Amino acid sequence: MPGTVQSIERAAAVLRLLAGGTGRLSLAQISRSLDLAKGTVHGILQTLRKVGFVEQDRASGHYQLGAAMLRLGTGYLDVNELRSRSINWADPLAARSGEAVRIGTVLDGQVLVVHHVFRPDDTFQTLDVGSLLPIHATALGKALLAYGASVPNRLDRFTSRTLVNHRDLAGALRDVREAGWSADIEEHTPGEASIAAPIRAYGGLVVGAIGISGHVERICDSRYRPRPPLVANVRDAARAVSRDLGAARR
């Protein structure tokens, strides 16, 4: 029987490292982590970049997973499986936060809502399952964009707070990767805010996001900052769903 192909093993190691990271990695960081020569790693990265599995930030030169890898991940993970694995954690998140919970994934450059738990009160609410949300103006969308989804060429404005400049959005996505969670504060709907965190599958690949949404005064403090207990609740739920999907503990 033939042996393994070393170059493929090394490429897989690079992809696993990028999938498991919290942000973009430099050539030197990847080289040190895998104990490989920089020249070897550079060749692997350039090949992966050409096929869309890796993207390189123009400003920093650092690398992250590309959109093609995200599409592979969502193709591997059936939407129904994402929904079924998330249900057990969405209801408790709604109960703890007192807010509506939505789970989404990427579809044709937008966020497809695959599960929605109503806010646990008696107010009138509309079911969002199957609806499409703008990927750049929602917390769910920014959690997906930060880890490999393609940024739209056109950034439509929904409110005065919507990020419609690609440079501003890129900065916001860097913050998402550093923090591990995302937010939108009246970026999509006036008076509403949301918090979300990425859902990972086996190998660390981001395949979806889970988040809460509600009135900005409930989600944020007086300085328009998301309330830390709500952020912690969302991140805990995302980690729980990720573990059920086979992701390593983080």
Side-chain angles (χ1 to χ4, degrees):
M1 295 291 291
T4 58
V5 180
Q6 187 181 63
S7 60
I8 295 178
E9 285 185 332
R10 289 175 171 176
V14 169
L15 292 172
R16 283 195 295 268
L17 182 64
L18 292 174
T22 57
R24 295 186 176 99
L25 297 176
S26 68
L27 174 62
Q29 289 172 317
I30 298 170
S31 176
R32 285 196 304 270
S33 297
L34 300 180
D35 195 24
L36 293 173
K38 287 185 180 179
T40 300
V41 174
H42 183 263
I44 293 171
L45 287 168
Q46 292 309 304
T47 301
L48 293 172
R49 186 180 62 80
K50 288 180 180 178
V51 298
F53 286 2
V54 164
E55 293 177 356
Q56 185 177 22
D57 181 66
R58 292 182 179 180
S60 67
H62 291 190
Y63 297 89
Q64 67 176 14
L65 289 181
M69 279 302 296
L70 183 67
R71 286 193 291 270
L72 281 179
T74 53
Y76 143 75
L77 181 69
D78 186 88
V79 167
N80 289 327
E81 182 179 0
L82 174 62
R83 181 176 183 274
S84 65
R85 298 282 185 168
S86 303
I87 285 174
N88 292 335
W89 304 104
D91 287 340
L93 176 58
R96 286 195 298 270
S97 66
E99 302 296 344
V101 174
R102 292 182 295 192
I103 294 142
T105 190
V106 178
L107 178 66
D108 296 332
Q110 299 182 83
V111 180
L112 171 67
V113 177
V114 301
H115 187 57
H116 179 201
V117 179
F118 283 163
R119 184 174 57 256
D121 60 24
D122 295 328
T123 58
F124 175 77
Q125 299 172 68
T126 303
L127 188 66
D128 286 344
V129 172
S131 63
L132 293 170
L133 306 175
I135 200 165
H136 68 288
T138 57
L140 288 173
K142 286 192 280 187
L144 296 166
L145 285 175
Y147 295 96
S150 296
V151 177
N153 292 326
R154 175 178 172 179
L155 303 179
D156 292 328
R157 182 180 296 279
F158 297 94
T159 74
S160 62
R161 300 177 65 92
T162 306
L163 298 179
V164 294
N165 180 286
H166 282 83
R167 181 174 296 179
D168 292 340
L169 180 60
L173 298 180
R174 283 195 295 271
D175 293 341
V176 172
R177 286 188 289 272
E178 291 176 3
W181 57 276
S182 59
D184 90 72
I185 302 170
E186 296 187 303
E187 294 176 41
H188 183 227
T189 305
E192 292 192 5
S194 58
I195 303 168
I199 295 172
R200 299 175 183 269
Y202 181 79
L205 190 67
V206 172
V207 295
I210 184 170
I212 61 172
S213 59
H215 196 282
V216 66
E217 292 181 355
R218 296 195 305 265
I219 300 292
C220 301
D221 62 20
S222 59
R223 299 178 65 182
Y224 270 61
R225 296 175 302 190
R227 300 181 188 275
L230 295 179
V231 173
N233 288 340
V234 170
R235 297 193 70 189
D236 287 345
R239 283 191 287 261
V241 178
S242 298
R243 288 195 296 270
D244 281 357
L245 290 171
R249 291 180 179 270
R250 302 176 65 83

Tab-separated table of all heavy atoms in Angstrom, residues 39 63 69 75 119 160 184 248:
chain	number	residue	atom	x	y	z
A	39	GLY	N	9.853	28.756	4.114
A	39	GLY	CA	9.693	28.569	2.678
A	39	GLY	C	8.674	27.495	2.355
A	39	GLY	O	7.859	27.643	1.427
A	63	TYR	N	-2.778	35.371	7.504
A	63	TYR	CA	-3.633	34.419	6.791
A	63	TYR	C	-4.812	33.973	7.656
A	63	TYR	O	-4.727	33.900	8.883
A	63	TYR	CB	-2.816	33.189	6.387
A	63	TYR	CG	-1.696	33.491	5.417
A	63	TYR	CD1	-0.433	33.853	5.887
A	63	TYR	CD2	-1.896	33.419	4.042
A	63	TYR	CE1	0.608	34.138	4.998
A	63	TYR	CE2	-0.863	33.701	3.159
A	63	TYR	CZ	0.381	34.062	3.649
A	63	TYR	OH	1.411	34.339	2.767
A	69	MET	N	-13.416	27.218	2.026
A	69	MET	CA	-13.446	26.283	3.139
A	69	MET	C	-14.772	26.379	3.879
A	69	MET	O	-15.324	25.362	4.326
A	69	MET	CB	-12.290	26.576	4.100
A	69	MET	CG	-10.963	26.005	3.658
A	69	MET	SD	-10.968	24.206	3.433
A	69	MET	CE	-11.299	23.658	5.105
A	75	GLY	N	-21.478	22.658	3.341
A	75	GLY	CA	-21.936	21.568	2.500
A	75	GLY	C	-21.871	20.240	3.231
A	75	GLY	O	-22.754	19.399	3.115
A	119	ARG	N	-38.672	35.280	22.248
A	119	ARG	CA	-38.396	35.879	23.543
A	119	ARG	C	-39.446	35.364	24.537
A	119	ARG	O	-40.648	35.325	24.227
A	119	ARG	CB	-38.466	37.404	23.427
A	119	ARG	CG	-38.107	38.164	24.676
A	119	ARG	CD	-38.059	39.669	24.418
A	119	ARG	NE	-39.304	40.193	23.880
A	119	ARG	CZ	-39.502	40.530	22.614
A	119	ARG	NH1	-38.531	40.386	21.723
A	119	ARG	NH2	-40.656	41.009	22.223
A	160	SER	N	-28.519	54.593	10.198
A	160	SER	CA	-27.367	55.500	10.216
A	160	SER	C	-26.130	54.851	10.822
A	160	SER	O	-25.020	55.356	10.659
A	160	SER	CB	-27.719	56.766	11.001
A	160	SER	OG	-28.018	56.447	12.354
A	184	ASP	N	-24.291	43.779	16.864
A	184	ASP	CA	-24.756	44.908	16.060
A	184	ASP	C	-25.687	45.718	16.937
A	184	ASP	O	-26.540	45.158	17.634
A	184	ASP	CB	-25.408	44.457	14.747
A	184	ASP	CG	-26.905	44.228	14.844
A	184	ASP	OD1	-27.659	45.211	14.947
A	184	ASP	OD2	-27.321	43.053	14.833
A	248	ALA	N	-13.349	20.831	19.136
A	248	ALA	CA	-12.579	20.674	20.358
A	248	ALA	C	-13.018	21.721	21.367
A	248	ALA	O	-13.503	22.801	21.010
A	248	ALA	CB	-11.076	20.827	20.068
